[in-house]
Amino acid sequence: MLLKWIAEVADEALVLDPADRRLESATNTWWLSAEVEDRRSLSVSDVVAAFGRTASAVRARVRELGFSGVATFYVWHDEQAGQLRCSTGSVAPDALPFGGAYEPSAELGPIVERFLADAEPGVVSRAELDGAGDQAAHVPVRVWVCGVGAVLPGENRAPA
């Protein structure tokens, strides 16, 4: 089911509005999960390939919309919720709408691997909570980023 849900993200509503990041986030963010049995049957490469296809489809949709700016498709593992999450925003990879520290990455495999290896999705042990303290607030979330806009981050466009 997870691979099917990842593919369906490409066909869902897509809003790119730099003036309304809240609307972008509410419309474009998807929470994806899988039962423990399903996680065991999936390979990292299959999940990575599914997200790659979705990112390509989102890129095509961004072009169809005529959006001419920077846009990023991104994926992260929300360990507390036991989910993979993905979204698209009209932002560069270094300006994603996270409330805390995050680390943009070109590698999706390690993110998916942690998700698939999570034997108790969404469960945080008391020991982990007790040992986390203030350190947890300083551990950045690793986020796979993929440019899907007409302009890639750092690219300068000459006026037409």
Side-chain angles (χ1 to χ4, degrees):
M1 284 303 288
L2 179 65
L3 300 180
K4 179 182 175 189
W5 291 333
I6 293 169
E8 287 175 356
V9 167
D11 297 324
E12 294 294 336
L14 180 63
V15 171
L16 294 172
D17 184 351
D20 195 344
R21 303 266 191 237
R22 191 176 311 206
L23 178 61
E24 279 187 354
S25 181
T27 304
N28 301 341
T29 303
W30 298 97
W31 305 351
L32 307 166
S33 192
E35 297 297 325
V36 174
E37 299 81 34
D38 293 337
R39 291 170 191 245
R40 289 187 195 127
S41 70
L42 293 167
S43 72
V44 171
S45 61
D46 287 344
V47 177
V48 167
F51 275 118
R53 288 187 298 272
T54 295
S56 292
V58 168
R59 182 178 297 111
R61 294 212 32 229
V62 168
R63 290 191 176 122
E64 288 171 12
L65 291 171
F67 184 75
S68 61
V70 172
T72 303
F73 178 77
Y74 52 103
V75 177
W76 71 100
H77 176 206
D78 183 329
E79 292 186 39
Q80 288 182 333
Q83 300 168 334
L84 282 174
R85 296 192 178 183
C86 63
S87 191
T88 304
S90 59
V91 294
D94 62 353
L96 299 177
F98 283 94
Y102 71 95
E103 176 184 330
S105 175
E107 298 294 323
L108 179 55
I111 296 167
V112 170
E113 187 172 10
R114 285 186 62 104
F115 169 76
L116 293 177
D118 189 351
E120 295 184 275
V123 175
V124 180
S125 72
R126 178 73 182 175
E128 289 174 305
L129 290 174
D130 289 343
D134 289 334
Q135 288 182 328
H138 300 293
V139 176
V141 174
R142 177 178 265 173
V143 181
W144 178 67
V145 296
C146 180
V148 294
V151 176
L152 297 176
E155 181 179 284
N156 291 323
R157 291 183 61 164

